[in-house]
Amino acid sequence: MAETEAALRTLAHNVREARTRTGLSLDELGRRAGVSKGALVALERATGNPNFATLIRLADTLGVSVSALTEARPEKRVRVVSTDAVAPLWHGQHGSEARLMLTTTGPAPTEVWRWRLEPGDEYPSHPHQAGVVETLSVTSGQMILIAAGTEYAVEAGQTATFDGDAPHTYRGTGTETCHLLMTVHLPPGPAPTT
């Protein structure tokens, strides 16, 4: 319980700090991200518990990575992150999961994700802001990547990359678990005004 409260406090602080840095009011952030003002108020008071899709929309709108919203500031120059130390941000119906391992720092950060896709599970992602590029490297099993309405089979030993500003879906296929590493390359700066 204390870990959850600490995580919510970190999230509240980071969202408020990113919103203030970009000069957005709660109303404007809510409008751009498609999140109610009430949900944002609760989030910034550490009483809200947003879902994965909301975190992605907020991160895209604020021009930061998801982990920039969820993680405390690193204190060391080198970070080593164990999968066991990172809670999944998404669970599928058949046991799939996605874990945001870390995000690099700098003007154009990169998120590093570990995914486990079970056959039959799928995750439909909303489009990200323009300039986001995703790369998937399958280490075992196979999956289907659906990008801009076209299906691509990606198997162990293969890597795919695509622009993340169109709808895309990851689907577990075949008979065994698919393990993959995903990187999300973020453009520098906040999302453009819409």
Side-chain angles (χ1 to χ4, degrees):
M1 187 68 151
E3 287 180 10
T4 301
E5 290 173 5
L8 287 174
R9 283 193 304 273
T10 297
L11 177 62
H13 174 267
N14 291 346
V15 168
R16 186 173 40 257
E17 184 178 87
R19 181 179 62 78
T20 303
R21 188 174 51 251
T22 58
L24 296 175
S25 67
L26 285 167
D27 288 326
E28 185 62 16
L29 175 58
R31 185 187 69 75
R32 291 186 189 184
V35 177
S36 74
K37 181 179 178 180
L40 289 174
V41 168
L43 185 107
E44 288 193 5
R45 290 183 178 163
T47 58
N49 192 5
N51 64 29
F52 183 43
T54 299
L55 288 175
I56 292 173
R57 286 195 309 272
L58 288 171
D60 281 350
T61 303
L62 293 167
V64 298
S65 65
V66 172
S67 63
L69 297 180
T70 60
E71 293 178 356
R73 301 285 182 248
E75 297 177 14
K76 300 178 181 177
R77 293 182 64 104
V78 174
R79 289 184 289 162
V80 177
V81 181
S82 169
T83 303
D84 298 350
V86 179
L89 290 177
W90 172 77
H91 292 279
Q93 293 181 354
H94 303 291
S96 299
E97 64 180 30
R99 295 174 190 253
L100 177 56
M101 299 303 296
L102 60 85
T103 302
T104 62
T105 57
T110 299
E111 297 177 348
V112 179
W113 292 80
R114 284 189 177 273
W115 284 73
R116 183 180 76 222
L117 280 174
E118 298 295 339
D121 267 346
E122 70 175 40
Y123 177 77
S125 179
H126 76 285
H128 301 293
Q129 65 177 316
V132 171
V133 175
E134 294 193 20
T135 302
L136 308 171
S137 293
V138 175
T139 59
S140 66
Q142 57 188 352
M143 66 170 290
I144 298 291
L145 165 65
I146 305 169
T150 303
E151 291 189 8
Y152 302 89
V154 187
E155 301 178 356
Q158 294 182 323
T159 299
T161 189
F162 61 96
D163 294 333
D165 60 355
H168 49 283
T169 300
Y170 322 117
R171 180 185 304 147
T173 189
T175 58
E176 64 182 81
T177 302
C178 176
H179 293 274
L180 64 114
L181 294 173
M182 177 176 72
T183 56
V184 180
H185 306 272
L186 306 168
T193 303
T194 54

